[in-house]
Amino acid sequence: MTKAHKRTRIEDIRREELIQAAHRVFRAQGLTGLTTARICAEAGMSPGILAYYFKGKKDALFEMVRYNNRILFEEIIERLRSATTPWGRIEAIVEGNFPVRAYDQPTANAWLSVCAAASTNDEYARLQRNFFGRLRSNLSFCLKPTLQGPKLHALLLATGVLIDGLWLRKALGEDITRDQAVRLILAQIIASLSKSDLAALRLPRPPKTA
């Protein structure tokens, strides 16, 4: 019993190490640059070890994409813990979608490669739908006390499109800083709301424009 438990724990650790190694390669080279040899070399393991811990390369890549999404949501959750107002929670969600250490061109290119692959890969498409759905759910929770129906739907859609668009522009090499991206989205949300809506959300003061 003890040996079996220890072996399972070690296997879990090795799987996590391989997933993290795949994520580092992914950020540097995108999905197309992810090979079994590169993943194992990055993890400091022998080339054939991936097949022992995963059903195959596709399984490892799927777990890596899940890991990438988890990193993003963990940052959002961490920011939400310190938010004390509805507007503070909106800021936390928007800021969490542009991680301080990850809003750069290599990461944006890697994300774009997943979006492209999702058009033909049902598993990636499902992960993207879950990601978009969680973004809408988090924002809806903040906005529903003041917005309902078509106006809420339009603002949620516009915010999601802006987030995706800014990541796309980053991938194409446009010189947009992380702070500029956050300020732009928050300014657009403010412009879509009435003074009474903003008062209900407890907006302290309009943020500076990008």
Side-chain angles (χ1 to χ4, degrees), residues 15-187:
R15 277 176 59 90
E16 188 70 13
E17 288 173 345
L18 285 164
I19 291 169
Q20 291 177 9
H23 186 251
R24 292 193 294 272
V25 177
F26 167 69
R27 285 190 59 189
Q29 303 189 39
L31 278 179
T32 56
L34 272 168
T35 65
T36 298
R38 283 174 178 157
I39 294 169
C40 292
E42 179 67 27
M45 301 182 192
S46 60
I49 201 81
L50 198 75
Y52 179 79
Y53 291 105
F54 298 93
K55 296 176 183 178
K57 179 183 171 183
K58 288 184 178 180
D59 180 40
L61 298 191
F62 176 74
E63 292 299 327
M64 184 277 300
V65 175
R66 285 183 62 187
Y67 173 77
N68 183 69
N69 287 0
R70 189 172 80 236
I71 289 174
L72 196 63
F73 279 118
E74 284 175 352
E75 174 146 348
I76 293 171
I77 290 169
E78 184 63 30
R79 290 177 179 276
L80 284 171
R81 288 195 181 113
S82 60
T84 58
T85 66
W87 181 255
R89 288 191 285 273
I90 291 172
E91 287 182 320
I93 294 165
V94 173
E95 290 174 355
N97 273 274
F98 298 92
V100 174
R101 298 182 181 180
Y103 188 57
D104 52 36
Q105 191 172 6
T107 304
N109 278 322
W111 166 79
L112 191 59
S113 70
V114 172
C115 292
S119 64
T120 56
N121 185 306
D122 290 340
E123 290 184 326
Y124 291 170
R126 176 168 61 82
L127 287 177
Q128 288 299 95
R129 287 194 298 271
N130 289 345
F131 181 84
F132 297 149
R134 194 169 296 183
L135 173 64
R136 289 193 299 270
S137 176
N138 285 337
L139 285 172
S140 291
F141 180 79
C142 304
L143 292 165
K144 270 187 176 179
T146 57
L147 292 182
Q148 300 291 333
K151 188 174 181 181
L152 173 62
H153 176 75
L155 183 54
L156 295 175
L157 178 61
T159 303
V161 169
L162 275 172
I163 291 171
D164 292 343
L166 285 163
W167 275 99
L168 173 60
R169 291 293 185 93
K170 195 69 173 180
L172 296 174
E174 191 155 335
D175 186 20
I176 304 170
T177 68
R178 181 256 182 193
D179 290 342
Q180 286 174 327
V182 170
R183 288 199 300 267
L184 176 62
I185 293 175
L186 293 177

